[in-house]
Amino acid sequence: MTDLYSRHLAVLPDWLATYYRQPIEITHGEGRHVWDAAGNRYLDFFGGILTTMTAHALPEVTKAVSEQAGRIVHSSTLYLNRPMVELAERVAALSGIPDARVFFTTSGTEANDTALLLATAYRRSHQILAMRNSYHGRSFSAVGITGNRSWSPTGLSPLQTLYVHGGVRGRGPYAAFTDAQFIEACVADLEDLIGHTHDVAALIAEPIQGVGGFTAPPDGLFAAFRDVLDRHGILWISDEVQTGWGRTGDHFWGWQAHAENGPPDILTFAKGIGNGMSIGGVVARADVMNCLDANSISTFGGSPVTMAAGLANLTYLLEHDLQGNARRVGGLLLERLRAVGARSPLVREVRGRGLMIGIELVKPGTDEANPEAAAAVLEAAREGGLLIGKGGGHDTSVLRIAPPLSLNVAEAEAGASILEHALNAG
Ligand code: PMP
């Protein structure tokens, strides 16, 4: 055990889990690569949990951060903050929400917490609909809407939450249905559930479930849900913490795969926009955002240094069409991994969109989740020089692949080969 690992274990919480039998310390990165303290170089297919969105050590972001830090690091929202206003203008315009207002936080958790505060205040109700197998953050309110037992450490909650079907296409009672039947059954379940409640405030959903193992409903499910929600005045919150900024290739936001009945009322974001600087936020229609009748601030939310990073990062993303790159390179990678998966008895499904790809592992010849194999493949991939993630609902048996969106074809090929070897070893 390294000295740093024993010090980590001695002073940090037991529930702060690390990857690998011998956890690694990442000391620096460049592009799509990182190096550990022992000098090993890895291709990074997890980006610090989908957070290094453009590239490691992107010079444009580094420059913006250091220039802003050289001027002023913090002023608070009591004073006008030019980079915050500029980023809010750009996010509002990109969000697709009419008359949008933006509030910046420091994390995805705090963004969802704010969305819940807004929705419950606006609707005067503490009833929330969430999806089974969801993850929305670690605060007391966020774990109360997280339908994934391994990430919800308490059953106590300030909210009354009911869990809806639809986030997981390939397992559960509706798995054998066609897409159209699946949507119909989920909508009927939603209607039935709402019939048993009083004045639900909102439905919150990830368009593609991240921690849950990159599972998603068929396109159009949330548009069909929206139809039902509208009839009851229930708000739709789209948690875009993992799916935002073009990662899914086909769309800039995950909700756009469900756009027939318009945008969500509230959208939350975090992770990728800061490329590692702590930015989260909420976008909402003005009447929803402005419904609070008391003051509310986030001391660090919208800090000039993080906003400067966000602006530089977003500019790079748009100018280099990284959404288009995610679609093209992600499409190739998905195809390559499907071929790899077809040859491995461990692989039940290879799924995904853009640069958000999940490989679900099972015990060979069964449908049973195989968390041991997922852990072994993760380890073997690291030995081969590739970092990936894992996730999944009841058991952590899904490999998660989500590289920076600037991934090139050669790197996609190299990563797929390492994964192929790792699957054979695992
Ligand atoms: N929502 C989703 C969909 C997430 O994946 C996460 C983080 N994994 C969060 C919210 C919480 O974000 P944070 O860890 O920044 O609080």
Side-chain angles (χ1 to χ4, degrees):
M1 192 183 291
T2 60
D3 178 46
L4 188 60
Y5 188 33
S6 45
R7 286 165 59 197
H8 173 112
L9 290 175
V11 76
L12 298 173
D14 286 354
W15 39 262
L16 194 65
T18 47
Y19 277 166
Y20 310 120
R21 274 191 298 274
Q22 287 303 322
I24 56 174
E25 177 192 4
I26 294 178
T27 52
H28 61 289
E30 191 185 327
R32 276 71 53 198
H33 287 92
V34 293
W35 283 259
D36 70 14
N40 300 306
R41 186 177 91 134
Y42 304 95
L43 194 48
D44 184 5
F45 271 21
F46 207 38
I49 324 181
L50 294 86
T51 297
T52 304
M53 173 170 78
T54 47
H56 286 284
L58 189 75
E60 287 82 347
V61 173
T62 308
K63 182 164 173 279
V65 167
S66 62
E67 283 180 1
Q68 182 59 52
R71 285 193 296 273
I72 189 158
V73 175
H74 178 75
S75 66
S76 93
T77 47
L78 296 175
Y79 310 100
L80 291 176
N81 174 342
R82 189 171 297 272
M84 180 168 79
V85 172
E86 281 179 18
L87 189 57
E89 286 168 348
R90 297 186 65 179
V91 172
L94 286 164
S95 72
I97 295 178
D99 195 16
R101 300 292 171 97
V102 183
F103 177 72
F104 288 108
T105 65
T106 56
S107 68
T109 296
E110 203 194 340
N112 284 329
D113 203 67
T114 308
L116 293 168
L117 176 67
L118 292 173
T120 52
Y122 186 83
R123 292 278 295 154
R124 301 246 142 259
S125 160
H126 76 315
Q127 296 208 42
I128 298 289
L129 302 175
M131 308 302 291
R132 297 181 186 186
N133 198 49
S134 57
Y135 179 80
H136 296 290
R138 60 159 301 281
S139 66
F140 189 46
S141 62
V143 297
I145 52 161
T146 284
N148 181 332
R149 174 65 187 87
S150 37
W151 291 94
S152 190
T154 175
L156 304 174
S157 172
L159 302 161
Q160 191 178 65
T161 307
L162 294 163
Y163 291 97
V164 177
H165 279 293
V168 181
R169 176 69 186 90
R171 283 189 183 269
Y174 306 152
F177 291 178
T178 64
D179 282 356
Q181 288 168 337
F182 183 92
I183 291 179
E184 203 181 310
C186 294
V187 169
D189 173 64
L190 178 69
E191 296 253 28
D192 184 58
L193 196 61
I194 291 173
H196 294 288
T197 63
H198 306 274
D199 301 330
V200 171
L203 167 89
I204 183 164
E206 302 154 86
I208 298 175
Q209 296 182 326
V211 172
F214 291 174
T215 56
D219 286 0
L221 176 82
F222 293 117
F225 274 9
R226 164 112 239 192
D227 215 25
V228 178
L229 300 178
D230 275 354
R231 266 187 270 125
H232 298 270
I234 300 169
L235 302 177
W236 171 25
I237 306 170
S238 188
D239 178 340
E240 301 277 353
V241 167
Q242 297 213 6
T243 46
W245 319 108
R247 173 162 293 281
T248 66
D250 294 336
H251 306 102
F252 193 75
W253 305 108
W255 70 259
Q256 289 167 324
H258 311 266
E260 292 92 294
N261 295 323
D265 302 286
I266 304 178
L267 176 159
T268 59
F269 61 86
K271 291 200 189 278
I273 182 62
N275 214 36
M277 297 297 279
S278 54
I279 306 178
V282 190
V283 191
R285 290 194 334 247
D287 63 322
V288 174
M289 184 66 90
N290 294 333
C291 78
L292 302 183
D293 64 359
N295 292 318
S296 192
I297 68 160
S298 166
T299 298
F300 291 122
S303 96
V305 174
T306 62
M307 296 293 102
L311 279 167
N313 197 36
L314 182 61
T315 301
Y316 187 92
L317 177 96
L318 297 174
E319 283 181 354
H320 294 81
D321 184 25
L322 295 192
Q323 179 187 335
N325 192 64
R327 186 173 58 245
R328 285 185 298 275
V329 181
L332 290 173
L333 184 57
L334 184 64
E335 214 174 287
R336 177 82 159 74
L337 292 175
R338 285 214 163 114
V340 168
R343 291 193 289 274
S344 169
L346 287 173
V347 175
R348 176 175 186 265
E349 187 181 38
V350 180
R351 56 180 174 249
R353 192 161 214 162
L355 284 171
M356 200 168 174
I357 300 174
I359 306 179
E360 186 179 336
L361 304 186
V362 285
K363 304 201 165 119
T366 76
D367 234 10
E368 224 181 296
N370 196 342
E372 297 80 17
V377 174
L378 209 79
E379 198 79 51
R382 183 195 64 77
E383 277 159 27
L386 175 73
L387 304 186
I388 57 170
K390 57 185 173 148
H394 299 295
D395 281 299
T396 308
S397 58
V398 181
L399 307 174
R400 289 200 293 157
I401 290 152
L405 303 186
S406 57
L407 187 78
N408 63 39
V409 174
E411 291 161 343
E413 282 290 338
S417 299
I418 300 172
L419 258 176
E420 181 164 22
H421 286 114
L423 274 165
N424 291 336

